[in-house]
């Protein structure tokens, strides 16, 4: 009996189970939404539009510009700013985190600055960003950067700190210098933690971006929502919200996929020796 | 004893090692001297925590001794490097690299050209019976296979001195027996100079030309026992060797010494 049980949990059937449950719960939510709005009319359409309305608005936004851009335009603008901000945060934050863990002197000098800056909420930077860059792409990208940077640093640092010192010793005995040690041993071993940092950075950056777009700018998903509010178009707001959530999930899924491709050694293939 | 006239391959001279500040920290090794002649296989045994690993780490150059010096061929040994290769108890394979990449690592660090790297890799895979696992990652291998890779990674450097810290301590008994026999064979064929740390008195008697018994912490050298070298019973399997009267006598003598230290702890 016990053996059967163990086999079952390993079969591919059960690995798909969470997916089925997840889809099921989304479906139930959709049904409840439909029932309470279009079918039973419990909720006033100005409070919560029906799914049909949202879908219709979605189709409409794809073809017709709203507040200056089509939906694709708003999505594109948001993704671009987000990519700039997150890209800069990763390119700068990961090396800083690695050096924090690798060079105690570097950490001693820069960590206090980092700690103070990290407790300032990204939105506190919006006024200064507007002052510096005006209502431009750079403003939102800077807010994204500030929201994404700490997670990159902290997780890269943690990842490097967790590398077993014996690996470093083994590399030293084999004649590796600092550079080779970092490149071939320390960074690859820390990579899963770095990836975790990227996932957090990406979602933090995405959330901060939408916030920044609500207050500044003339295009983007946050701007779309605020325009929906100004025009009393609840369905526009809902299209914007759902687009934000879905894009977040898509980006995160892509990153998780790339992790399995980029770090093939993490998932043992079938055991090849008895 | 006639060995001791020549310059030792590796010599630890009056090594003392404190962790933390002297006198208030931990004294792990206290004034230990030991010389390994070229081609000699030395085993160090002693109670747990007596400073065996510390002695080896210092010998490898991975830690600085508080006092004393390390000599290779009579000259002060520099920083750690492939000439004093180390095999660790926990294998210490690079998890993101395949077996082949792990074994080539040191060759690449020393700038050996690609063709020679490949030649030595293939030779080493054959010696350690790892041919099938060339492209496997460490996480796909059993403990015994991982330790074979770690040994191959050391041997491929053609080290002058091989330092091994309880290399079989983390393995199951069957795998350990096989690897002990293999190390015995390697040493007989290639005359490596080996400093081998172990918990196991049997292992020390089977492998060692000399066995050094350390005292409880702070580790001092309690006694050195020379064993017959290249005798018939050492050529066979360890179970067969273990039945030989000389083996039994040596094991009894060494175990009594270790036991004294454990009991006194
Ligand atoms: N980096 C360190 N800092 C402080 N104390 C240490 C350090 N390394 C070892 N020690 C202490 O030194 C003593 C000797 O340790 P060592 O690891 O050399 O013993 P060992 O004989 O190898 O033990 P085992 O048989 O368990 O492997 C121990 O008491 C240990 O706690
Ligand atoms: Mg030890």
């Amino acid at each position: 009996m016990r053996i059967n049980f163990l086999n079952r949990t390993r079969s591919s059937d059960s690995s798909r189970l969470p997916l089925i449950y997840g889809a099921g719960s989304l479906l139930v939510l959709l049904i409840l939404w439909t029932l309470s709005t279009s079918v039973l009319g419990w909720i006033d359409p100005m409070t919560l539009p029906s799914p049909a309305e949202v879908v219709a608005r979605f189709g409409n936004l794809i073809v017709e510009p709203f507040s200056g851009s089509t939906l694709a335009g708003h999505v594109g603008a948001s993704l671009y700013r987000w990519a700039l901000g997150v890209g800069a945060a990763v390119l700068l934050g990961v090396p800083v985190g690695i050096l924090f863990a690798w060079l105690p002197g570097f950490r001693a000098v820069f960590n206090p600055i980092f700690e103070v800056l990290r407790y300032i909420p990204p939105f506190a930077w919006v006024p200064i960003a507007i002052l510096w860059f005006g209502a431009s792409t750079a403003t939102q990208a800077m807010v994204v950067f500030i929201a994404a940077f700490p997670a990159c640093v902290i997780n890269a640092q943690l990842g490097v700190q967790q590398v077993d010192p014996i690996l470093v010793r083994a590399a030293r005995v084999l004649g590796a210098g600092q550079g080779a040690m970092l490149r071939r041993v320390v960074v690859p071993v820390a990579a899963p933690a770095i990836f975790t940092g990227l996932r957090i950075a990406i979602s933090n950056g995405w959330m901060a971006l939408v916030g920044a777009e609500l207050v500044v700018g003339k295009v983007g998903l946050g701007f779309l929502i605020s325009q929906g509010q100004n025009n009393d178009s609840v369905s526009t707001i809902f299209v914007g919200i759902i687009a934000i959530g879905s894009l977040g999930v898509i980006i995160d899924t892509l990153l998780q996929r790339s992790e399995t491709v980029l770090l093939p050694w993490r998932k043992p293939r079938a055991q090849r020796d008895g | 004893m006639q060995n001791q006239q020549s310059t030792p391959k590796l010599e630890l001279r009056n090594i003392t090692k404190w962790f933390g500040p002297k006198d208030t920290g931990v004294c792990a090794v206290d004034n230990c001297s030991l010389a390994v002649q070229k081609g000699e296989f030395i085993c160090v045994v002693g109670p747990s925590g007596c400073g065996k690993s510390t002695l080896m780490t210092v010998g490898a150059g991975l830690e600085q001794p508080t006092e004393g010096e390390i000599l290779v061929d009579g000259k002060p040994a520099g920083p750690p490097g492939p000439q004093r290769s180390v095999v660790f108890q926990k294998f210490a394979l690079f998890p993101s690299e395949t077996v082949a990449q792990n074994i080539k690592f040191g060759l690449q660090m020393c700038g050996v050209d690609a063709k020679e790297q490949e030649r030595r890799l293939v030779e080493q895979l054959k010696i350690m019976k790892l041919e099938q696992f060339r492209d496997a990652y460490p996480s796909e291998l059993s403990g015994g296979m991982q330790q074979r890779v770690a040994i191959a990674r050391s041997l491929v450097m053609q080290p002058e001195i091989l330092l091994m810290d309880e290399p079989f301590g983390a393995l199951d008994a069957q795998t350990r027996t096989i690897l002990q026999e293999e190390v015995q064979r390697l040493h007989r064929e290639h005359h490596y100079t080996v400093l081998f740390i172990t918990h196991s008195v049997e292992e020390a008697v089977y492998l060692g030309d000399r066995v050094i018994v350390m005292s409880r912490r702070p580790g001092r050298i309690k006694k050195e026992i020379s064993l017959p070298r290249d005798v018939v019973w050492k050529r066979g399997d360890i179970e067969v060797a273990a039945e030989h009267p000389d083996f039994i006598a040596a094991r009894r003598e060494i175990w009594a010494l270790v036991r004294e230290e454990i009991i006194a702890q």
Side-chain angles (χ1 to χ4, degrees):
Chain A
M1 288 315 282
R2 212 188 141 80
I3 290 163
N4 272 341
F5 172 70
L6 285 174
N7 280 342
R8 245 191 74 75
T9 52
R10 269 190 216 153
S11 73
S12 60
D13 269 12
S14 47
S15 72
R16 259 185 236 129
L17 219 55
L19 216 74
I20 294 167
Y21 284 151
S25 78
L26 278 177
L27 198 69
V28 169
L29 190 70
L30 197 65
I31 291 169
L32 284 178
W33 183 11
T34 314
L35 280 178
S36 57
T37 50
S38 22
V39 180
L40 299 170
W42 284 342
I43 303 172
D44 164 35
M46 277 312 289
T47 310
L48 183 65
S50 70
E53 250 182 284
V54 174
V55 170
R57 185 69 188 130
F58 176 73
N60 190 248
L61 281 170
I62 287 177
V63 288
E64 246 175 66
F66 175 73
S67 296
S69 310
T70 58
L71 185 59
H74 289 295
V75 168
S78 287
L79 285 178
Y80 178 56
R81 294 158 175 166
W82 167 84
L84 280 181
V86 168
V90 170
L91 287 181
L92 203 68
V94 170
V96 165
I98 292 169
L99 290 181
F100 269 7
W102 195 246
L103 305 172
F106 184 84
R107 185 181 147 85
V109 173
F110 290 106
N111 196 48
I113 306 174
F114 173 71
E115 285 295 318
V116 171
L117 290 181
R118 142 171 121 88
Y119 282 102
I120 305 171
F123 298 125
W125 293 91
V126 170
I128 200 81
I130 293 174
L131 209 64
W132 287 346
F133 304 117
S136 69
T137 298
T139 302
Q140 283 119 349
M142 175 173 152
V143 175
V144 172
F145 172 83
I146 287 164
F149 184 70
C152 296
V153 175
I154 293 169
N155 285 280
Q157 182 184 341
L158 204 71
V160 171
Q161 280 168 347
Q162 284 168 345
V163 173
D164 191 339
I166 207 145
L167 293 180
V168 175
R169 288 189 155 183
R172 250 181 99 192
V173 167
L174 290 167
Q178 300 273 318
M181 229 180 253
L182 280 172
R183 205 176 61 251
R184 286 194 59 181
V185 181
V186 175
V187 173
V189 173
I194 294 173
F195 256 97
T196 305
L198 295 197
R199 285 183 67 191
I200 299 170
I202 277 173
S203 74
N204 285 355
W206 190 236
M207 286 191 245
L209 172 67
V210 174
E213 284 176 343
L214 283 172
V215 276
V216 54
K218 291 265 169 290
V219 65
L221 285 169
F223 176 70
L224 178 80
I225 293 174
S226 73
Q227 286 300 298
Q229 183 203 355
N230 291 345
N231 292 295
D232 284 330
S233 171
V234 197
S235 51
T236 305
I237 299 179
F238 267 81
V239 171
I241 287 175
I242 293 170
I244 289 164
S246 317
L247 282 170
V249 170
I250 291 169
I251 294 164
D252 191 63
T253 311
L254 287 178
L255 191 75
Q256 271 180 281
R257 287 279 157 80
S258 69
E259 185 176 349
T260 29
V261 176
L262 289 174
L263 310 177
W265 49 275
R266 289 202 69 205
K267 282 235 173 353
R269 286 172 276 179
Q271 290 270 323
R272 285 197 234 164
D273 59 326
Chain B
M1 292 293 109
Q2 101 233 41
N3 283 341
Q4 287 180 356
Q5 289 149 7
S6 57
T7 311
K9 188 77 214 169
L10 173 70
E11 188 177 358
L12 311 184
R13 200 177 274 172
N14 305 109
I15 298 295
T16 297
K17 176 70 185 174
W18 284 84
F19 287 110
K22 204 173 164 182
D23 299 323
T24 56
V26 177
C27 184
V29 173
D30 183 20
N31 197 23
C32 278
S33 296
L34 110 93
V36 193
Q37 301 298 328
K38 190 169 180 353
E40 202 179 18
F41 200 123
I42 298 239
C43 289
V44 178
V45 295
S48 188
C50 73
K52 304 184 291 295
S53 296
T54 307
L55 194 65
M56 199 216 64
T57 328
V58 169
L62 287 165
E63 300 245 25
Q64 286 302 311
T66 313
E67 280 162 29
E69 54 182 344
I70 315 292
L71 305 171
V72 173
D73 293 322
K75 291 187 268 303
Q83 285 327 313
R84 276 180 288 168
S85 210
V86 183
V87 177
F88 300 92
Q89 177 175 358
K90 290 199 294 175
F91 320 140
L93 297 178
F94 307 131
S96 63
E97 309 212 330
T98 62
V99 168
Q101 288 168 328
N102 263 282
I103 296 175
K104 280 183 175 176
F105 187 98
L107 299 174
Q108 285 159 349
M109 294 303 124
C110 297
V112 173
D113 72 67
K115 245 180 92 185
E116 176 68 5
Q117 281 175 30
E118 185 61 29
R119 193 190 66 74
R120 276 158 77 170
L121 167 69
V122 169
E123 175 189 67
Q124 207 51 238
L125 288 173
K126 187 151 181 281
I127 293 173
M128 294 311 291
K129 306 190 174 88
L130 286 164
E131 287 118 319
Q132 304 165 249
F133 303 106
R134 190 191 153 111
D135 296 317
Y137 288 105
S139 61
E140 299 171 306
L141 301 179
S142 65
M145 280 300 158
Q146 290 189 44
Q147 195 57 297
R148 279 173 189 271
V149 178
I151 294 171
R153 187 177 65 175
S154 282
L155 292 184
V156 81
M157 300 307 293
Q158 300 169 342
E160 294 177 23
I161 301 153
L162 193 55
L163 300 150
M164 303 177 100
D165 188 7
E166 295 193 46
F168 311 140
L171 304 179
D172 63 88
Q174 293 156 7
T175 312
R176 190 186 311 143
T177 306
I178 302 292
L179 280 176
Q180 281 164 346
E181 287 164 11
E182 226 144 278
V183 164
Q184 176 76 285
R185 177 178 61 80
L186 280 172
H187 179 245
R188 203 169 50 237
E189 288 169 9
H190 301 274
H191 309 288
Y192 292 112
T193 307
V194 188
L195 182 62
F196 189 103
I197 312 281
T198 176
H199 261 118
S200 156
V201 174
E202 277 87 10
E203 189 168 84
V205 172
Y206 178 62
L207 292 173
D209 299 323
R210 245 185 320 146
V211 177
I212 290 175
V213 181
M214 280 179 79
S215 71
R216 62 189 181 275
R217 209 187 75 208
R220 299 193 184 93
I221 289 177
K222 183 180 167 87
K223 187 140 193 215
E224 273 189 40
I225 291 113
S226 288
L227 293 166
R229 190 178 173 159
D230 208 20
V231 285
V232 177
W233 56 266
K234 280 199 173 183
R235 288 171 170 264
D237 298 353
I238 188 166
E239 300 96 275
V240 178
E243 284 161 11
H244 195 278
D246 289 353
F247 183 103
I248 295 169
R251 186 185 57 195
R252 205 167 275 159
E253 181 188 359
I254 294 166
W255 174 235
L257 292 165
V258 175
R259 191 192 174 94
E260 263 174 31
E261 293 302 318
I262 295 173
I263 288 168
Q265 240 166 0

